[in-house]
């Protein structure tokens, strides 16, 4: 059957651009669509972990704003401690420039990019997927990759279970020129700052990005009396530096974190990647790594179908469960411990700095979340003189196979 394209990718963030690039490099006819015009503003902390940078397959140097090798932690902006690494622990990017860079790489590989076009409907029929644009135009493809983020049009067509527990999180972020910040410590120009104990089921953060300073919060606010903006303003007011005038525009966004081993990331000829698939670290809210990784995996599943009649959807679902869900379920356990017993968790990390070093290894891809949880349990037990409450045992125990 003749298609307009072999693959259509909806959403040109890191996951979508990566999937489009990989498929195009393999010789497939690829269309990459985004509802926005690029470069576009994207609310995001813009912290690219070392293991995420390795997945790119090219040097991100042209769009890296800063390289950080240390992190500072505070509890309600007090009781600080820090960890340092001889090697970079993260690269800082502005998402407008970073995403534009990835789109250009996909275009260079042969993918066709259409911007400013909204997809309003996708339908699988007769061994193809039909994509309808806002203007009424219909385009056919062999496979569709949904990389259109939180509220994904593609994801709504999959019979995926609804999240349990607190539900999706939310984030607020503002970026302003560093020249407008008065009193920002020079020693923190290559340092990430995380503040716990004030944001429900989350944290506040301050990330220096060369000429910019990004400040934000992320957490779960369902049932909270205080609005996210109130928590954001509390963070601003408590920082040890001030601003010339008011901070820049504050942007909000949903954080669709991983929540269940039953999550569906594919159906028929439609595959979900990144935020659209709820592939976000429930501890940190970091999504770029999982977007890039799932973009690669979706592409490989489709490319494998050229010489194999196996079910692409089942293959992709299986590999994501094996390679991503396995680690994310342990990240979920860590997040439950930290955000339900925040003060105890904070004191544990402060008392045992090797936990911070171990977590850097997680960010580098040298250690798994499972290994991290094992060490965290030992140290928490040591801090409490060998006694863990039943609540903590349950949270840090072996993850349930179905939660």
């Amino acid at each position: 059957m003749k298609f307009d394209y072999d693959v259509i990718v909806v959403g040109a963030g890191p996951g979508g651009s990566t999937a489009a690039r990989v498929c195009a490099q393999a010789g497939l006819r690829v269309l990459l669509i985004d509802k926005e015009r690029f470069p576009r503003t994207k609310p995001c902390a813009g912290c690219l972990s070392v293991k995420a940078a390795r997945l790119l397959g090219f040097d991100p140097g042209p769009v890296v704003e800063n390289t950080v090798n240390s992190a500072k932690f505070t509890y309600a902006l007090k009781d600080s401690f820090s960890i340092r690494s001889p090697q970079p622990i993260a690269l800082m990017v502005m998402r407008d420039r970073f995403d534009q860079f990835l789109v250009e790489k996909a275009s260079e590989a042969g993918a066709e990019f259409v911007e400013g076009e909204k997809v309003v409907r996708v339908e699988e029929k007769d061994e193809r997927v039909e994509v309808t644009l806002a203007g009424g135009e219909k385009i056919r493809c062999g496979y569709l990759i949904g990389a259109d983020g939180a509220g994904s049009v593609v994801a709504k067509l999959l019979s995926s279970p609804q999240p349990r527990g607190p539900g999706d999180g939310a984030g607020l972020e503002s970026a302003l020129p560093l020249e407008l910040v008065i009193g920002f410590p020079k020693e923190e120009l290559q340092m990430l700052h995380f503040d716990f104990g004030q944001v429900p089921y989350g944290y506040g953060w301050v990330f220096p990005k060369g000429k910019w300073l990004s400040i934000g919060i992320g957490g779960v606010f369902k049932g909270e009396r205080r609005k996210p903006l109130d928590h954001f303003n509390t963070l601003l007011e408590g920082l040890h530096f001030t601003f010339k005038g008011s901070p820049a525009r504050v942007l909000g966004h949903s954080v669709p974190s991983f929540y269940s081993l039953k999550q569906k990331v594919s159906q028929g000829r439609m595959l979900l990647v990144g935020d659209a698939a709820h592939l976000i670290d429930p501890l940190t809210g970091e999504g770029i790594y999982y977007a890039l990784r799932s973009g690669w995996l979706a592409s490989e599943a489709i490319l494998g179908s050229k010489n194999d009649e196996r079910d692409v959807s089942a293959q992709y679902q299986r590999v994501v469960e094996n390679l991503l869900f396995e680690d994310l379920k342990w990240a979920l356990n860590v997040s439950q411990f930290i955000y339900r017993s925040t003060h105890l968790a904070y004191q544990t990390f402060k008392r045992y700095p090797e936990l911070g070093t171990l977590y850097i290894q997680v960010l580098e891809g040298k250690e798994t979340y499972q290994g991290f949880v094992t060490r965290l349990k030992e140290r928490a037990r040591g801090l409490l003189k060998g006694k863990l409450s039943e609540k903590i045992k349950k949270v840090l125990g072996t993850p349930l196979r179905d939660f």
Side-chain angles (χ1 to χ4, degrees), residues 65 198 399:
E65 310 289 340
Q198 297 194 98

Side-chain angles (χ1 to χ4, degrees), residues 154-338:
V154 182
K156 291 177 181 177
L157 297 178
L158 273 64
S159 54
S160 177
Q162 292 299 311
R164 300 174 183 175
D168 286 352
L172 293 180
E173 187 258 353
S174 183
L176 66 159
L178 196 56
E179 63 185 17
L180 298 182
V181 180
I182 303 173
F184 188 81
K186 290 184 178 181
E187 63 271 18
E188 295 186 16
L189 289 174
Q190 274 72 48
M191 176 181 285
L192 305 177
H193 178 185
F194 299 93
D195 182 64
F196 294 89
Q198 297 194 98
V199 179
Y201 215 86
Y203 61 91
W205 47 265
V206 180
F207 291 170
K209 299 179 179 179
K211 297 180 180 180
W212 296 86
L213 189 67
S214 289
I215 302 172
I217 62 166
V220 177
F221 302 95
K222 185 178 181 180
E224 285 286 313
R225 291 185 177 181
R226 297 188 71 200
K227 297 179 180 179
L229 186 58
D230 296 330
H231 291 282
F232 179 81
N233 288 331
T234 297
L235 176 65
L236 285 183
E237 293 166 2
L239 292 172
H240 52 271
F241 44 83
T242 57
F243 312 97
K244 294 179 182 178
S246 300
R249 184 166 53 126
V250 179
L251 300 175
H253 59 99
S254 178
V255 183
S257 299
F258 172 81
Y259 61 88
S260 170
L261 291 172
K262 286 187 174 182
Q263 287 178 211
K264 289 197 67 174
V265 298
S266 63
Q267 181 174 293
R269 293 177 173 270
M270 296 181 288
L271 315 178
L272 299 177
V273 303
D275 292 14
H278 277 257
L279 295 176
I280 291 183
D281 186 321
L283 172 60
T284 63
E286 197 260 346
I288 297 179
Y289 167 76
Y290 295 100
L292 294 171
R293 187 78 188 278
S294 58
W296 273 97
L297 296 176
S299 304
E300 291 170 350
I302 292 172
L303 293 172
S305 71
K306 295 179 66 176
N307 301 313
D308 190 340
E309 295 300 321
R310 63 190 173 185
D311 185 341
V312 172
S313 175
Q315 166 68 11
Y316 178 61
Q317 181 74 38
R318 184 164 53 251
V319 74
V320 169
E321 288 176 357
N322 291 339
L323 298 181
L324 300 185
F325 282 14
E326 184 66 23
D327 208 40
L328 284 169
K329 71 181 182 183
W330 287 99
L332 182 60
N333 266 47
V334 178
S335 72
Q336 290 173 338
F337 168 58
I338 289 178

Side-chain angles (χ1 to χ4, degrees), residues 41-93:
T41 300
K42 175 75 173 179
C44 175
C47 184
L48 188 66
S49 66
V50 173
K51 64 180 179 180
R54 291 199 190 103
L55 281 177
L56 291 173
F58 50 81
D59 181 12
V63 291
V64 172
E65 310 289 340
N66 193 15
T67 300
V68 295
N69 58 8
S70 60
K72 171 185 174 181
F73 299 88
T74 53
Y75 190 87
L77 294 174
K78 299 177 181 179
D79 195 22
S80 69
F81 70 94
S82 62
I83 58 175
R84 298 182 182 276
S85 170
Q87 303 296 328
I89 61 175
L91 308 177
M92 308 309 299
V93 298

Side-chain angles (χ1 to χ4, degrees), residues 324-363:
L324 300 185
F325 282 14
E326 184 66 23
D327 208 40
L328 284 169
K329 71 181 182 183
W330 287 99
L332 182 60
N333 266 47
V334 178
S335 72
Q336 290 173 338
F337 168 58
I338 289 178
Y339 296 131
R340 293 177 183 177
S341 308
T342 306
H343 190 260
L344 170 61
Y346 189 84
Q347 292 302 319
T348 302
F349 276 86
K350 184 177 181 181
R351 176 74 65 86
Y352 302 104
E354 72 269 21
L355 289 174
T357 301
L358 189 64
Y359 190 70
I360 289 176
Q361 294 178 7
V362 174
L363 297 178

